[in-house]
Amino acid sequence: MSSEPQPALSTDPLANKQQAWSALFSEPMSQLVQRYTASVGFDQRLWRADIAGSLAHAAMLQAQGVIGAGDLADIRRGLGQIAQEIENGSFVWKLELEDVHLNIEARLTALVGDAGKRLHTGRSRNDQVATDVRLWLRGEIDTLALLLAGMQRALVELAAAHADTVMPGYTHMQVAQPVSFAHHLLAYVEMFARDAERLADVRRRTNRLPLGAAALAGTSYPLDRESVARTLGFEGVCQNSLDAVSDRDFALEFSAFAAICMVHVSRLAEEIVLWMSQNFGFIDLADRYCTGSSIMPQKRNPDVAELARGKSGRVVGHLMGLLTLMKGQPLTYNKDNQEDKEPLFDTVDTLADTLRIMAEMVGGITVKKEAMERAALKGYATATDLADYLVKKGLPFRDAHEAVAHAVKIALQRGVDLAELSLAELQALQPRIEADVAAVLTLRGSLAARSVLGGTAPVQVLAQVARHRARLAG
Ligand code: ARG
């Protein structure tokens, strides 16, 4: 996974002294409660967003005359040093300081004194964490958008070479009608294109600023929320302070997007596994995406595709987890919300890695054209073409359907394809059949005939390839 390495946490038995809210408390927190309630083990991943949010907040506080210019300078210097310490691994994360926010704030105060203590003016961890998660997620959304485009490009480029490669199209997993391999691949491009649209939509609603809502009710300091939003690149501010600190629907929407996208990946992965099996033999995968068996020497297993399929389970599970997390929460912030992070992080990591590896693997697919074509010839895939032919000769469709069913029955009994029945045999079934039927019963004839917009005819498919290439350029 691509998550950052997690530094060890230090635990200090006298730690309660360091807690930001400890003056009221007369007994220390037990180690178990400390461990149970702390989030720093995972939310330290938000540190960049946390520092960016603090810098924007501090600059606004100074511009509004709430803190002095000297304080702002100290805060900037301190946060700059903290960023360096975190990056070079020397920052000491402390469990007793609960979360990323208090860890950074405590270190800031240790470095610059009172200015560090002034930073939290007009702010609460409630609007702070909501801001951090949104900022962090926005960055991940932008990375995922690029990865989704890469996935689509890999499929489009493979498709570009196979507008004329015929395979059986299936319904009910039964051979239905011939389609091109390109057409089949482009179906997935459509799915991923819609995923990208959904993601762009999620981004708009994620990109609104909670900061300024403070604990829940807003604040009495003269904050300029619009300017903080501009500094941080938010498109607007959350308009209700209670909503701002408490709802996580942007995370739910993101998670729903990710679950749908992983389901699309999983369907593709499933087909890759099937196509690579001996029973289909439609494709081969590069060795680097397969593993062997410790007991069966002949095996080359498509593990990467299987895992992509399997990992859809956890992403779908995270969506259920987040929905359930939100469901019973009264307004406003509740500590429950701390539980949004691990599922969200794992969703991002799983989806990003899966899109990366699947795009790579698709680029390395070897297509076995002959096997695809042989399979398309087996299941009477051109039966509909024969019926359509008869309709063009004036027969009502239902009668044509029945005549062709008879033809298929005879062919089945003889163990041959429709195209192998003689003209005389066909004419005995339906006198309107003439010599020109031969062209209709070929796979390529069938493909070319489906030239409706969105159909499998090579001219249509190549037009789609061009459209996708233009859409995905740049
Ligand atoms: N670690 C907390 C979270 O992830 C930060 C907010 C804590 N706020 C509070 N009032 N305890 O939600």
Side-chain angles (χ1 to χ4, degrees), residues 39 43 98-99 101 124-126 129 248 333-335 337-338 340-341:
S39 55
D43 71 9
E98 214 180 306
D99 56 24
H101 323 292
S124 153
R125 275 187 296 154
N126 297 351
V129 70
R248 296 289 184 268
Y333 176 86
N334 302 282
K335 188 77 164 182
N337 283 332
Q338 182 164 291
D340 65 355
K341 289 167 199 64

PDB file of all heavy atoms in Angstrom, residues 39 43 98-99 101 124-126 129 248 333-335 337-338 340-341, ligand 1:
ATOM      1  N   SER A  39      -5.959   8.816  17.949  1.00  0.00           N
ATOM      2  CA  SER A  39      -6.018   8.567  16.506  1.00  0.00           C
ATOM      3  C   SER A  39      -4.695   8.865  15.821  1.00  0.00           C
ATOM      4  O   SER A  39      -4.556   8.684  14.613  1.00  0.00           O
ATOM      5  CB  SER A  39      -7.127   9.410  15.874  1.00  0.00           C
ATOM      6  OG  SER A  39      -6.946  10.776  16.192  1.00  0.00           O
ATOM      7  N   ASP A  43      -4.030   9.167  12.006  1.00  0.00           N
ATOM      8  CA  ASP A  43      -4.370  10.465  11.396  1.00  0.00           C
ATOM      9  C   ASP A  43      -3.152  11.367  11.189  1.00  0.00           C
ATOM     10  O   ASP A  43      -3.271  12.445  10.606  1.00  0.00           O
ATOM     11  CB  ASP A  43      -5.516  11.169  12.144  1.00  0.00           C
ATOM     12  CG  ASP A  43      -5.131  11.704  13.516  1.00  0.00           C
ATOM     13  OD1 ASP A  43      -3.938  11.704  13.853  1.00  0.00           O
ATOM     14  OD2 ASP A  43      -6.060  12.120  14.248  1.00  0.00           O
ATOM     15  N   GLU A  98      -2.883  12.394  21.621  1.00  0.00           N
ATOM     16  CA  GLU A  98      -4.138  11.998  20.984  1.00  0.00           C
ATOM     17  C   GLU A  98      -4.164  11.962  19.466  1.00  0.00           C
ATOM     18  O   GLU A  98      -4.412  10.934  18.872  1.00  0.00           O
ATOM     19  CB  GLU A  98      -5.265  12.915  21.484  1.00  0.00           C
ATOM     20  CG  GLU A  98      -6.587  12.212  21.600  1.00  0.00           C
ATOM     21  CD  GLU A  98      -7.695  13.151  22.112  1.00  0.00           C
ATOM     22  OE1 GLU A  98      -7.510  13.768  23.175  1.00  0.00           O
ATOM     23  OE2 GLU A  98      -8.720  13.247  21.435  1.00  0.00           O
ATOM     24  N   ASP A  99      -3.980  13.121  18.855  1.00  0.00           N
ATOM     25  CA  ASP A  99      -4.163  13.124  17.399  1.00  0.00           C
ATOM     26  C   ASP A  99      -3.143  14.035  16.718  1.00  0.00           C
ATOM     27  O   ASP A  99      -2.316  14.675  17.364  1.00  0.00           O
ATOM     28  CB  ASP A  99      -5.612  13.492  17.023  1.00  0.00           C
ATOM     29  CG  ASP A  99      -6.059  14.838  17.597  1.00  0.00           C
ATOM     30  OD1 ASP A  99      -5.183  15.691  17.873  1.00  0.00           O
ATOM     31  OD2 ASP A  99      -7.276  15.030  17.777  1.00  0.00           O
ATOM     32  N   HIS A 101      -3.542  16.801  15.310  1.00  0.00           N
ATOM     33  CA  HIS A 101      -3.716  18.232  15.581  1.00  0.00           C
ATOM     34  C   HIS A 101      -2.995  18.649  16.858  1.00  0.00           C
ATOM     35  O   HIS A 101      -2.256  19.626  16.878  1.00  0.00           O
ATOM     36  CB  HIS A 101      -5.204  18.584  15.695  1.00  0.00           C
ATOM     37  CG  HIS A 101      -6.056  17.817  14.753  1.00  0.00           C
ATOM     38  ND1 HIS A 101      -5.996  18.011  13.399  1.00  0.00           N
ATOM     39  CD2 HIS A 101      -6.966  16.824  14.964  1.00  0.00           C
ATOM     40  CE1 HIS A 101      -6.842  17.167  12.804  1.00  0.00           C
ATOM     41  NE2 HIS A 101      -7.441  16.434  13.742  1.00  0.00           N
ATOM     42  N   SER A 124     -11.574  25.148  16.550  1.00  0.00           N
ATOM     43  CA  SER A 124     -11.754  23.962  17.382  1.00  0.00           C
ATOM     44  C   SER A 124     -11.193  22.806  16.587  1.00  0.00           C
ATOM     45  O   SER A 124     -11.078  22.880  15.353  1.00  0.00           O
ATOM     46  CB  SER A 124     -13.241  23.750  17.653  1.00  0.00           C
ATOM     47  OG  SER A 124     -13.524  22.394  17.889  1.00  0.00           O
ATOM     48  N   ARG A 125     -10.865  21.720  17.287  1.00  0.00           N
ATOM     49  CA  ARG A 125     -10.454  20.552  16.516  1.00  0.00           C
ATOM     50  C   ARG A 125     -11.600  20.032  15.653  1.00  0.00           C
ATOM     51  O   ARG A 125     -11.381  19.310  14.695  1.00  0.00           O
ATOM     52  CB  ARG A 125      -9.943  19.453  17.450  1.00  0.00           C
ATOM     53  CG  ARG A 125      -8.486  19.594  17.810  1.00  0.00           C
ATOM     54  CD  ARG A 125      -8.002  18.404  18.572  1.00  0.00           C
ATOM     55  NE  ARG A 125      -8.673  18.268  19.843  1.00  0.00           N
ATOM     56  CZ  ARG A 125      -8.839  17.124  20.508  1.00  0.00           C
ATOM     57  NH1 ARG A 125      -8.373  15.993  19.991  1.00  0.00           N
ATOM     58  NH2 ARG A 125      -9.449  17.085  21.672  1.00  0.00           N
ATOM     59  N   ASN A 126     -12.809  20.419  16.007  1.00  0.00           N
ATOM     60  CA  ASN A 126     -13.944  19.934  15.228  1.00  0.00           C
ATOM     61  C   ASN A 126     -13.961  20.503  13.811  1.00  0.00           C
ATOM     62  O   ASN A 126     -14.149  19.769  12.844  1.00  0.00           O
ATOM     63  CB  ASN A 126     -15.258  20.257  15.947  1.00  0.00           C
ATOM     64  CG  ASN A 126     -15.349  19.548  17.298  1.00  0.00           C
ATOM     65  OD1 ASN A 126     -14.514  18.698  17.600  1.00  0.00           O
ATOM     66  ND2 ASN A 126     -16.344  19.907  18.097  1.00  0.00           N
ATOM     67  N   VAL A 129     -10.454  19.291  12.044  1.00  0.00           N
ATOM     68  CA  VAL A 129     -10.347  17.946  11.459  1.00  0.00           C
ATOM     69  C   VAL A 129     -11.214  17.833  10.209  1.00  0.00           C
ATOM     70  O   VAL A 129     -10.815  17.227   9.211  1.00  0.00           O
ATOM     71  CB  VAL A 129     -10.681  16.837  12.485  1.00  0.00           C
ATOM     72  CG1 VAL A 129     -12.154  16.810  12.864  1.00  0.00           C
ATOM     73  CG2 VAL A 129     -10.270  15.476  11.955  1.00  0.00           C
ATOM     74  N   ARG A 248     -20.335  14.074   7.321  1.00  0.00           N
ATOM     75  CA  ARG A 248     -19.224  13.538   6.528  1.00  0.00           C
ATOM     76  C   ARG A 248     -19.767  12.984   5.216  1.00  0.00           C
ATOM     77  O   ARG A 248     -19.254  12.005   4.691  1.00  0.00           O
ATOM     78  CB  ARG A 248     -18.524  12.415   7.304  1.00  0.00           C
ATOM     79  CG  ARG A 248     -17.846  12.834   8.612  1.00  0.00           C
ATOM     80  CD  ARG A 248     -16.594  13.679   8.363  1.00  0.00           C
ATOM     81  NE  ARG A 248     -15.905  14.002   9.612  1.00  0.00           N
ATOM     82  CZ  ARG A 248     -16.122  15.107  10.325  1.00  0.00           C
ATOM     83  NH1 ARG A 248     -17.017  16.000   9.928  1.00  0.00           N
ATOM     84  NH2 ARG A 248     -15.444  15.332  11.443  1.00  0.00           N
ATOM     85  N   TYR A 333     -20.731  17.413  16.221  1.00  0.00           N
ATOM     86  CA  TYR A 333     -19.577  16.519  16.223  1.00  0.00           C
ATOM     87  C   TYR A 333     -19.704  15.475  17.329  1.00  0.00           C
ATOM     88  O   TYR A 333     -20.064  15.788  18.466  1.00  0.00           O
ATOM     89  CB  TYR A 333     -18.269  17.308  16.420  1.00  0.00           C
ATOM     90  CG  TYR A 333     -17.066  16.379  16.519  1.00  0.00           C
ATOM     91  CD1 TYR A 333     -16.422  15.941  15.376  1.00  0.00           C
ATOM     92  CD2 TYR A 333     -16.632  15.889  17.761  1.00  0.00           C
ATOM     93  CE1 TYR A 333     -15.361  15.047  15.457  1.00  0.00           C
ATOM     94  CE2 TYR A 333     -15.576  14.999  17.846  1.00  0.00           C
ATOM     95  CZ  TYR A 333     -14.941  14.584  16.692  1.00  0.00           C
ATOM     96  OH  TYR A 333     -13.903  13.703  16.766  1.00  0.00           O
ATOM     97  N   ASN A 334     -19.398  14.247  16.978  1.00  0.00           N
ATOM     98  CA  ASN A 334     -19.249  13.173  17.972  1.00  0.00           C
ATOM     99  C   ASN A 334     -17.947  12.460  17.665  1.00  0.00           C
ATOM    100  O   ASN A 334     -17.506  12.411  16.507  1.00  0.00           O
ATOM    101  CB  ASN A 334     -20.407  12.177  17.876  1.00  0.00           C
ATOM    102  CG  ASN A 334     -21.744  12.867  18.079  1.00  0.00           C
ATOM    103  OD1 ASN A 334     -22.134  13.172  19.194  1.00  0.00           O
ATOM    104  ND2 ASN A 334     -22.443  13.137  16.978  1.00  0.00           N
ATOM    105  N   LYS A 335     -17.379  11.888  18.687  1.00  0.00           N
ATOM    106  CA  LYS A 335     -16.087  11.232  18.518  1.00  0.00           C
ATOM    107  C   LYS A 335     -16.170  10.073  17.514  1.00  0.00           C
ATOM    108  O   LYS A 335     -15.172   9.655  16.936  1.00  0.00           O
ATOM    109  CB  LYS A 335     -15.579  10.728  19.869  1.00  0.00           C
ATOM    110  CG  LYS A 335     -14.150  10.191  19.852  1.00  0.00           C
ATOM    111  CD  LYS A 335     -13.084  11.276  19.836  1.00  0.00           C
ATOM    112  CE  LYS A 335     -11.714  10.691  20.214  1.00  0.00           C
ATOM    113  NZ  LYS A 335     -10.677  11.713  20.244  1.00  0.00           N
ATOM    114  N   ASN A 337     -16.885  10.216  14.679  1.00  0.00           N
ATOM    115  CA  ASN A 337     -16.337  10.663  13.398  1.00  0.00           C
ATOM    116  C   ASN A 337     -14.854  10.384  13.237  1.00  0.00           C
ATOM    117  O   ASN A 337     -14.348  10.353  12.115  1.00  0.00           O
ATOM    118  CB  ASN A 337     -16.597  12.158  13.203  1.00  0.00           C
ATOM    119  CG  ASN A 337     -18.041  12.411  12.802  1.00  0.00           C
ATOM    120  OD1 ASN A 337     -18.666  11.540  12.193  1.00  0.00           O
ATOM    121  ND2 ASN A 337     -18.571  13.554  13.151  1.00  0.00           N
ATOM    122  N   GLN A 338     -14.180  10.176  14.332  1.00  0.00           N
ATOM    123  CA  GLN A 338     -12.762   9.823  14.239  1.00  0.00           C
ATOM    124  C   GLN A 338     -12.585   8.504  13.455  1.00  0.00           C
ATOM    125  O   GLN A 338     -11.548   8.264  12.868  1.00  0.00           O
ATOM    126  CB  GLN A 338     -12.184   9.681  15.651  1.00  0.00           C
ATOM    127  CG  GLN A 338     -10.712   9.359  15.695  1.00  0.00           C
ATOM    128  CD  GLN A 338     -10.132   9.617  17.074  1.00  0.00           C
ATOM    129  OE1 GLN A 338     -10.021  10.773  17.495  1.00  0.00           O
ATOM    130  NE2 GLN A 338      -9.789   8.582  17.789  1.00  0.00           N
ATOM    131  N   ASP A 340     -13.874   7.744  10.772  1.00  0.00           N
ATOM    132  CA  ASP A 340     -14.017   7.866   9.311  1.00  0.00           C
ATOM    133  C   ASP A 340     -12.675   7.693   8.595  1.00  0.00           C
ATOM    134  O   ASP A 340     -12.647   7.430   7.405  1.00  0.00           O
ATOM    135  CB  ASP A 340     -14.652   9.230   8.934  1.00  0.00           C
ATOM    136  CG  ASP A 340     -13.759  10.425   9.287  1.00  0.00           C
ATOM    137  OD1 ASP A 340     -12.693  10.247   9.912  1.00  0.00           O
ATOM    138  OD2 ASP A 340     -14.145  11.565   8.952  1.00  0.00           O
ATOM    139  N   LYS A 341     -11.582   7.840   9.345  1.00  0.00           N
ATOM    140  CA  LYS A 341     -10.305   7.980   8.664  1.00  0.00           C
ATOM    141  C   LYS A 341      -9.738   6.684   8.101  1.00  0.00           C
ATOM    142  O   LYS A 341      -9.358   6.617   6.931  1.00  0.00           O
ATOM    143  CB  LYS A 341      -9.294   8.640   9.589  1.00  0.00           C
ATOM    144  CG  LYS A 341      -9.662  10.084   9.768  1.00  0.00           C
ATOM    145  CD  LYS A 341      -8.941  10.778  10.872  1.00  0.00           C
ATOM    146  CE  LYS A 341      -9.711  12.011  11.252  1.00  0.00           C
ATOM    147  NZ  LYS A 341     -11.055  11.763  11.818  1.00  0.00           N
TER     148      LYS A 341
HETATM  149  N1  ARG B   1      -9.117  13.170  16.353  1.00  0.00           N
HETATM  150  C1  ARG B   1     -10.403  13.770  16.262  1.00  0.00           C
HETATM  151  C2  ARG B   1     -11.162  13.225  15.049  1.00  0.00           C
HETATM  152  O1  ARG B   1     -10.587  12.605  14.255  1.00  0.00           O
HETATM  153  C3  ARG B   1     -10.269  15.245  16.117  1.00  0.00           C
HETATM  154  C4  ARG B   1     -11.431  16.021  16.607  1.00  0.00           C
HETATM  155  C5  ARG B   1     -11.548  15.876  18.060  1.00  0.00           C
HETATM  156  N2  ARG B   1     -12.531  16.730  18.596  1.00  0.00           N
HETATM  157  C6  ARG B   1     -13.006  16.586  19.841  1.00  0.00           C
HETATM  158  N3  ARG B   1     -13.898  17.397  20.222  1.00  0.00           N
HETATM  159  N4  ARG B   1     -12.575  15.626  20.622  1.00  0.00           N
HETATM  160  O2  ARG B   1     -12.330  13.412  14.918  1.00  0.00           O
END
